[in-house]
Amino acid sequence: MTSLSHIALVGLPGSGKSTVGRQLAKRLGLPFLDSDHVIEARLGLTIREFFERDGEAPFRDLEQTVIDELTLAGEACVLATGGGAVLRSANRGHLMQRTQVVYLHSSPEEIFRRLRHDQNRPLLQVPDPLGRLRELYTLRDPLYRESARFVVETGRPSVAALVNTIVAQLEAAGFLPPPPA
């Protein structure tokens, strides 16, 4: 068995990276980190406020630094990344080389159903958020798939069912010890 390394979750905004990540970390007895929360703590303001003040490019620069740091950390952990983290090739490289990447795949329509009332997603504060989600999906889905070792369909399963699916995939690939008989 390979020793357990970082597990990184990627996917569109609202695909469940933070929610599933917290439960996966709890199940595996690992620390949970959310790159967006780390960034907000460093900035002292929300990502939405930073986007409005400074724009996307400076945010992506900071995000790249944070992902590099978090994936280098010694102790294994579960890391939820921001939805756009895969846009930078350096981030994809760090994630693929240093973590087991799990893509939480959700359709734009499913995410829209979940997020339609969420005012804290800067890229969705547009007149046609479903159209924006479709654009993001078209651009990012190939990058998520390129980065991911595992793809998990989110659909409508419970968080517990998604965690079970991820754990089963990690066990089957030899990244976790098999459950006791």
Side-chain angles (χ1 to χ4, degrees):
M1 179 191 91
T2 306
S3 65
L4 183 61
S5 62
H6 294 3
I7 299 164
L9 302 177
V10 300
L12 285 172
S15 60
K17 299 178 298 290
S18 296
T19 303
V20 171
R22 268 191 287 282
Q23 292 305 310
L24 179 62
K26 184 176 180 182
R27 167 92 174 264
L28 298 176
L30 295 174
F32 171 72
L33 299 170
D34 183 313
S35 63
D36 283 350
H37 294 164
V38 171
I39 291 167
E40 287 180 340
R42 285 194 188 173
L43 292 171
L45 59 148
T46 67
I47 289 171
R48 181 178 180 178
E49 291 166 336
F50 187 78
F51 255 71
E52 289 170 357
R53 188 185 76 189
D54 296 337
E56 186 173 356
F59 170 76
R60 296 293 173 205
D61 292 340
L62 178 56
E63 179 180 56
Q64 182 175 327
T65 299
V66 167
I67 286 178
D68 182 35
E69 292 171 7
L70 294 177
T71 59
L72 276 176
E75 185 181 4
C77 69
V78 175
L79 171 64
T81 64
V86 296
L87 294 172
R88 293 267 175 107
S89 62
N91 290 343
R92 292 193 307 276
H94 293 323
L95 291 168
M96 289 186 296
Q97 293 163 14
R98 302 173 185 168
T99 76
Q100 301 305 318
V101 181
V102 178
Y103 172 21
L104 296 181
H105 178 263
S106 301
S107 72
E109 294 74 18
E110 181 68 24
I111 291 175
F112 180 72
R113 183 185 64 74
R114 285 186 218 145
L115 293 185
R116 64 185 175 271
H117 302 298
D118 189 331
Q119 299 299 307
N120 295 315
R121 309 280 178 160
L123 293 175
L124 300 181
Q125 304 312 307
V126 295
D128 179 13
L130 179 57
R132 181 68 177 134
L133 282 167
R134 288 178 175 144
E135 291 170 10
L136 292 174
Y137 181 86
T138 299
L139 174 67
R140 296 177 182 180
D141 180 66
L143 301 174
Y144 295 137
R145 290 182 186 279
E146 171 191 322
S147 305
R149 182 176 187 98
F150 307 100
V151 178
V152 175
E153 297 295 329
T154 60
R156 291 189 181 261
S158 67
V159 171
L162 291 171
V163 168
N164 287 340
T165 299
I166 294 168
V167 168
Q169 289 187 3
L170 291 167
E171 287 172 351
F175 293 107
L176 294 177

